[in-house]
Amino acid sequence: MDMAKLKVNLKSPGIIDNAAIFLEDPVEKIAYYLNPKGSEQEWEIDNVSLPITGSLDYSLYVVAYTGTQFDCIITNKDTSDTIEFSGVTGRVMKGRANERGSKNFS
Amino acid sequence: MKRFLIFCLVTVLSNNVNAQNSLFQDSKGESAFKVFDNSIIFNAADANLGLNFNAFSRSANASNTEFDRVGFNLKVTTNEGVANLKNDNGFLVDGEIGIYYGKKFTSDPTADMSTPGWASETFISSNLLVDRNKFYNGQDINQSTFNQGELGYKVEIGNFGWYGDILYGVAFNIQQQDNIEDIKQNTISTIITSGNNNAIQTLRQENAYNILEYKENQNSYNINGDFAFLLNPEDATVLVNNKPYVPPIHGAFHFRFTKLQGAKPMYNPAIGLYLNQTGAPRNVVTGFNIQLLDAFNVEDSDNSTFERTTINLTAGFKF
């Protein structure tokens, strides 16, 4: 099984207060906390190494005031393929979001 | 603590761009919310230079819910188009230099989804400002107008953030500055009279303040509170093509308390309504607030309550 190098980038037209993602982790044991890139509108983590075959399971948690839109891009740095998804905070709980899924890189 | 400087160079060739740095500014420019931009703004037309940066990062050796913010701003405007910044008459610029430090905490993003999110930032900031204006002497109108500079400062501490669907900010500041914003300019015309036919010709017109009305070194302290409530949370989170499409709307209450040297304390409450940017609920597109100045009429003003009420429009700011 190959180890893939991943980068997770999160952007918003508004302010994101905190964010973390679980990858290939159905029991959500090891969280990768994203870091702000100078401001609160863009967050990133760039050093995730995981064994991946086929699709990638992800579960992104965002803390941001209700109604904050966010766009997430997970990049396989070896192939430059990406997984992309979006969301908005506050749909399930005030000021929070959890976007999860299973997608293939393309 | 890692810090990175981020610059965005913008050249503005038209009118002054005054970057207001917080929403809910009342008629005195007071607010408890703070917003942060990175920019260098050079205005070629009016010889105006502005520099803002702020660095926001996770706190080193701390929990995943702790952050630091450091900010710096500098604004310089030359007077009368001259290149030198100071001569023996004093400063020839208007300017402001400020520093900011904030410590921010948030809820843990991986916490159980049954609890609302929140964020809270406690800050201290300090600004020095130089203000230079043109004056005339109300007792001796034949004297030429002259320029005079004043050095002022503002130190502020406070806390702002949000919990659930409520935004809030509270801040306390002390200031020393002049009263230039409270007095009016008059037009000073220099005229010459022709001896033969007594024809009057206007040689020059200038706008200047009366030095007799001017007060330097006015000390004041202010307490500000801002509370905004999201009025349409369900609408603001509906997605169309994975994007929200209804703009958020906030109702707000503002509390302003000010104690100026030599005057009684004044309360200046306000209520407001604000339309926010879709997908960015802390960005205001437009809004207004209605403020009652000196709610308890401690200055025994002859103005009625209605006359002491101001309506302030806002556009294009963040909170």
Side-chain angles (χ1 to χ4, degrees), chain B residues 291-305:
Chain B
Q291 185 171 31
L292 175 57
L293 298 175
D294 190 9
F296 299 108
N297 199 12
V298 297
E299 291 201 329
D300 288 326
S301 166
D302 290 335
N303 291 334
S304 66
T305 302

Side-chain angles (χ1 to χ4, degrees), chain A residues 18-31:
Chain A
N18 209 337
I21 192 167
F22 296 95
L23 297 166
E24 294 286 296
D25 190 353
V27 296
E28 298 192 351
K29 202 169 173 184
I30 300 174

Side-chain angles (χ1 to χ4, degrees), chain B residues 273-289:
Chain B
L273 197 62
Y274 304 89
L275 180 71
N276 303 94
Q277 180 181 340
T278 306
R282 293 167 71 177
N283 294 7
V284 168
V285 175
T286 187
F288 73 93
N289 62 65

Side-chain angles (χ1 to χ4, degrees), chain B residues 1-312:
Chain B
M1 176 175 61
K2 290 181 184 175
R3 295 209 302 260
F4 298 94
L5 302 183
I6 300 173
F7 289 145
C8 171
L9 181 63
V10 175
T11 300
V12 178
L13 299 178
S14 57
N15 294 330
N16 263 355
V17 175
N18 288 315
Q20 257 180 301
N21 64 355
S22 58
L23 175 66
F24 300 151
Q25 286 200 7
D26 65 0
S27 55
K28 300 291 184 186
E30 288 285 316
S31 171
F33 287 108
K34 303 298 166 197
V35 293
F36 309 95
D37 288 311
N38 292 313
S39 62
I40 300 174
I41 298 176
F42 175 65
N43 185 324
D46 291 335
N48 180 318
L49 175 66
L51 163 68
N52 292 288
F53 93 84
N54 84 95
F56 178 76
S57 61
R58 287 190 182 275
S59 301
N61 304 318
S63 75
N64 290 310
T65 57
E66 195 171 329
F67 301 86
D68 296 297
R69 191 193 316 272
V70 176
F72 171 79
N73 77 284
L74 173 68
K75 197 161 53 178
V76 176
T77 308
T78 61
N79 283 295
E80 301 168 291
V82 297
N84 44 328
L85 304 179
K86 184 180 184 300
N87 64 12
D88 54 1
N89 285 331
F91 287 105
L92 296 176
V93 295
D94 289 341
E96 183 178 319
I97 183 168
I99 56 173
Y100 175 100
Y101 174 72
K103 171 66 82 177
K104 180 175 179 179
F105 293 93
T106 75
S107 57
D108 192 326
T110 65
D112 188 89
M113 283 297 283
S114 63
T115 57
W118 58 266
S120 169
E121 182 161 339
T122 303
F123 70 90
I124 181 166
S125 70
S126 176
N127 283 312
L128 279 180
L129 52 96
V130 174
D131 183 31
R132 185 173 167 85
N133 295 284
K134 185 177 289 187
F135 296 93
Y136 69 94
N137 188 336
Q139 278 183 339
D140 182 7
I141 203 70
N142 290 320
Q143 192 184 46
S144 300
T145 59
F146 57 96
N147 291 317
Q148 183 167 311
E150 151 83 352
L151 191 64
Y153 70 82
K154 179 175 176 179
V155 178
E156 188 166 40
I157 59 172
N159 178 270
F160 66 96
W162 56 273
Y163 182 87
D165 292 343
I166 299 174
L167 288 153
Y168 73 90
V170 290
F172 169 80
N173 69 60
I174 56 174
Q175 305 181 31
Q176 183 180 89
Q177 57 187 37
D178 56 26
N179 70 336
I180 204 72
E181 288 185 7
D182 295 331
I183 60 177
K184 288 187 169 46
Q185 285 183 316
N186 291 308
T187 302
I188 309 301
S189 300
T190 303
I191 60 174
I192 57 173
T193 306
S194 163
N196 288 340
N197 58 4
N198 290 330
I200 295 175
Q201 181 183 344
T202 301
L203 189 65
R204 182 173 60 248
Q205 279 193 325
E206 302 166 284
N207 291 324
Y209 297 96
N210 187 345
I211 194 67
L212 301 177
E213 296 178 1
Y214 180 65
K215 295 179 191 171
E216 297 176 270
N217 299 329
Q218 297 283 288
N219 293 307
S220 70
Y221 67 86
N222 303 273
I223 302 173
N224 298 309
D226 297 285
F227 304 92
F229 308 88
L230 182 58
L231 301 178
N232 61 341
E234 288 187 6
D235 293 334
T237 56
V238 171
L239 296 176
V240 174
N241 294 329
N242 286 331
K243 308 277 186 203
Y245 76 107
V246 177
I249 300 171
H250 283 85
F253 168 69
H254 313 290
F255 173 84
R256 301 275 178 268
F257 169 89
T258 182
K259 169 71 174 75
L260 185 62
Q261 175 182 335
K264 295 178 186 174
M266 276 206 298
Y267 296 86
N268 305 314
I271 54 172
L273 197 62
Y274 304 89
L275 180 71
N276 303 94
Q277 180 181 340
T278 306
R282 293 167 71 177
N283 294 7
V284 168
V285 175
T286 187
F288 73 93
N289 62 65
I290 302 171
Q291 185 171 31
L292 175 57
L293 298 175
D294 190 9
F296 299 108
N297 199 12
V298 297
E299 291 201 329
D300 288 326
S301 166
D302 290 335
N303 291 334
S304 66
T305 302
F306 177 77
E307 286 166 336
R308 297 200 314 277
T309 299
T310 67
I311 298 178
N312 308 300

